Structure formats: C-alpha cells, structure tokens
Amino acid sequence: MKKHFTKKINPMIKYFLLIAILNFSMSFSNLTLARSTLEIDAAIESALNRFTEEIKGSQTYLDGSRGTLVIPRMIKAGVILGMEYGEGALIVDGIKVQYYRAFSTSLGLQLGVGAKDLVILFFDDDAMDDFLYSSGWQAGVDGSVALGKYGVGGSIDTTESQDPIVGFVFGHKGIIAGLSVEGTKFTKIWPDSDGDTVEVDIDEFNETALE
C-alpha cells in the first residue's frame, strides 16, 4: 500500500512543479522586456519622489552622495526559483550617465509576485568609479553595500552614511526590513538602441559621459 501511494503521489508532485515552473517562465519573460528610456526615466522620477516623501531623512543622504543608482519597481516572481529584475540608471550631478539592468536569483519557496524600489548611494569616488567603469558589478562581491535602516524617531539611521556605498530597499510603506541586495548583478544597458548597432566600447562611453 505504501509503495502504491508513493507511485501515485510522485507524478502529481512532478506535474505541479512543472506547471509552476512553466507559469513562472512565461510571466518572467514578459517582465523582462526592455523598456524605453522615457519609461525608465519616468519610473526613476517616481521612485525618487517616493523615497524623499515617505522616508524621513532621505534627502540628506541624496544631497551628500557622489552618485545615485536608482532601480525602480524591481519585480520579484517565482515559485521555486525566485528572480528579481529591474532597469534604472546611475545619476551623477543630476545627469543619468549610464542605464543599468539589475538581476538576482534565489533558491527556496518564493510565493507570488512583488515589487520594490532600490536606491544605492555612492559616497566615495573610488567606489563609484569601480561600479561605473566595470563591465559587470555584483553586490557583495565587487563592492559591499550597507543597507539603510530606520533609527530613533523614525528617520534614517545616519551611521550608514560613513560607508562608501549605502543601499535602500523600500516600498509604499517605507524601508523594507530584512532584505539583502547581496548577489544582485548590475549590467549596463543602452535603451532605445538599435539591435544592429555596434556596441560602444565601455571605457570610451564612460569617459565621454563624465566629461
């Protein structure tokens, strides 16, 4: 009886997992369609407005940073293999010097689809240059990101401002506690570019953008 039950249940489990993975693959493929520059810029503006309006003390952080990486509306989807994806830009002196795609994966039970905003502030020129001039940058490997959190009085704890790189993960209810950006990979993208266009040399592009 026990063996018969095992043979019956295993195909059911395999079928469920297969359907779940297929549904995830279809939904995530739709999420990862590249957006236009105008769409990304609008999402960045909205995320920064939420950041400064809903999180007390955030404007002080923004004013003191050398550069601000904004990845708005990072989408999390998956059942067994959770993935997060988003597109944004690095802003220096009010200018978007480079657009980026953020991507991360995590194993384990991941229920539902969620979205959050990610803001990473660079307080050190060397740390920002390492990020900007890299062909690919991974949090926790190529640079450590200290996560901002609430301090006394409900405002941002200022102790993190001593770190060269500080990140904030937030939603409509403010900073989301207990999350990590370690393992998140950031790669450069050129929205609106022609697929047949020859890829510009990374170093040459960066040097031109910062002139």
Side-chain angles (χ1 to χ4, degrees):
M1 178 64 71
K2 185 176 181 181
K3 291 183 178 180
H4 178 72
F5 176 77
T6 303
K7 291 181 180 179
K8 287 287 185 181
I9 194 67
N10 283 344
M12 292 176 62
I13 294 175
K14 291 179 180 179
Y15 178 77
F16 170 76
L17 292 176
L18 178 60
I19 293 298
I21 292 172
L22 286 175
N23 286 336
F24 163 75
S25 299
M26 293 176 64
S27 63
F28 195 73
S29 64
N30 292 329
L31 293 174
T32 55
L33 294 176
R35 295 182 294 173
S36 68
T37 300
L38 289 177
E39 291 174 318
I40 296 175
D41 289 350
I44 288 174
E45 188 70 20
S46 178
L48 285 175
N49 286 338
R50 288 194 299 272
F51 185 56
T52 55
E53 292 173 3
E54 299 177 12
I55 302 177
K56 186 178 178 181
S58 57
Q59 188 61 58
T60 301
Y61 266 75
L62 287 173
D63 294 341
S65 67
R66 304 294 297 170
T68 304
L69 175 68
V70 185
I71 307 292
R73 301 287 296 171
M74 280 196 71
I75 300 296
K76 181 177 183 178
V79 178
I80 301 301
L81 179 61
M83 295 186 180
E84 292 180 288
Y85 172 92
E87 294 175 335
L90 176 66
I91 305 171
V92 180
D93 294 331
I95 300 173
K96 298 177 183 70
V97 298
Q98 177 65 59
Y99 288 88
Y100 285 89
R101 175 178 294 121
F103 183 82
S104 67
T105 62
S106 60
L107 288 172
L109 187 60
Q110 307 285 334
L111 298 178
V113 177
K116 60 178 179 287
D117 297 315
L118 174 62
V119 170
I120 294 180
L121 305 175
F122 295 90
F123 292 95
D124 180 82
D125 287 333
D126 290 337
M128 187 175 70
D129 287 347
D130 288 343
F131 177 83
L132 182 59
Y133 289 99
S134 68
S135 57
W137 195 90
Q138 183 174 356
V141 176
D142 299 303
S144 178
V145 180
L147 285 182
K149 58 182 181 295
Y150 287 121
V152 179
S155 60
I156 297 176
D157 190 343
T158 58
T159 57
E160 276 82 12
S161 62
Q162 301 173 10
D163 293 288
I165 309 175
V166 181
F168 295 91
V169 182
F170 62 99
H172 291 290
K173 295 184 179 180
I175 294 176
I176 303 175
L179 295 182
S180 172
V181 298
E182 280 200 18
T184 303
K185 297 179 180 179
F186 301 89
T187 55
K188 296 179 180 180
I189 58 172
W190 285 264
D192 303 332
S193 63
D194 190 334
D196 296 328
T197 301
V198 178
E199 184 174 336
V200 180
D201 180 81
I202 292 174
D203 289 339
E204 180 181 345
F205 179 88
N206 286 332
E207 290 172 3
T208 303
L210 291 177
E211 286 181 353

